[in-house]
Amino acid sequence: MQALAVLQPLANLPDWGIGGSLLLVEQQLQTDFRDIDLVCTEAVAQMLDSAIQQVAAPVATTPHPRYCSRFFRRYHHSSGLIIELMAGIQVLLVQSSEKMQVWPFDPATVTRRHGLPWMALSDWLVLYQWFERPEKVALIHAAQGRHCALG
């Protein structure tokens, strides 16, 4: 997969993980991905930003009214792939009377596969619920149901 080759230069950097739709593809829950979502600790965000800029160009973004991460960058790789780096994820939840929810990334939950760090599906279940992506939530719930049935 081309996306994994793009990320290989970051493989040995600490405290980050691959999530989003690429995680769903890696877990065989869907067949394609929209972009590459990377999540890291705030402590390493600048270091990862610098490393990603060695392989992809930064792209200007417009602030989102509800997604208020303390660190967010988007990059465009020459292959056409879009990479997004997030740290200090915060989401304004309308269901909670406009309350800001902070999601703490824990690098201890990351698992190395294919030589790269992958986030837990359970983390993205929470994030997709906050991002109001019901189709992704349903995919993960279905996968968890299959796993429980097999266990």
Side-chain angles (χ1 to χ4, degrees):
M1 182 185 299
Q2 179 183 16
L4 301 186
V6 168
L7 297 175
Q8 209 54 52
L10 311 175
N12 294 321
L13 298 176
D15 299 343
W16 68 280
I18 303 164
S21 56
L22 184 56
L23 173 64
L24 298 181
V25 169
E26 191 266 343
Q27 291 290 302
Q28 300 178 343
L29 302 182
Q30 65 183 40
T31 56
D32 60 347
F33 60 96
R34 189 175 59 101
D35 55 18
I36 301 172
D37 292 309
L38 307 180
V39 180
C40 66
T41 62
E42 289 182 76
V44 302
Q46 292 294 338
M47 177 181 59
L48 273 167
D49 176 47
S50 296
I52 295 169
Q53 287 189 48
Q54 300 301 310
V55 297
V59 176
T61 59
T62 304
H64 192 281
R66 290 189 40 243
Y67 306 155
C68 308
S69 296
R70 290 190 284 269
F71 184 95
F72 179 84
R73 297 284 189 281
R74 182 175 290 140
Y75 314 86
H76 184 264
H77 186 265
S78 60
S79 67
L81 290 171
I82 299 294
I83 302 168
E84 293 184 342
L85 177 63
M86 298 166 260
I89 295 175
Q90 301 181 125
V91 178
L92 188 63
L93 296 182
V94 279
Q95 314 94 308
S96 304
S97 303
E98 300 289 322
K99 183 180 178 196
M100 185 69 70
Q101 291 288 334
V102 178
W103 184 80
F105 172 66
D106 180 1
T109 64
V110 168
T111 305
R112 290 193 76 84
R113 297 186 298 274
H114 317 290
L116 293 165
W118 295 86
M119 294 177 66
L121 274 177
S122 57
D123 289 340
W124 277 87
L125 176 60
V126 172
L127 291 171
Y128 278 138
Q129 288 169 334
W130 287 8
F131 297 160
E132 296 182 352
R133 304 277 172 75
E135 68 287 347
K136 304 294 187 187
V137 170
L139 280 174
I140 296 171
H141 275 309
Q144 289 174 330
R146 283 191 303 272
H147 179 71
C148 289
L150 296 174

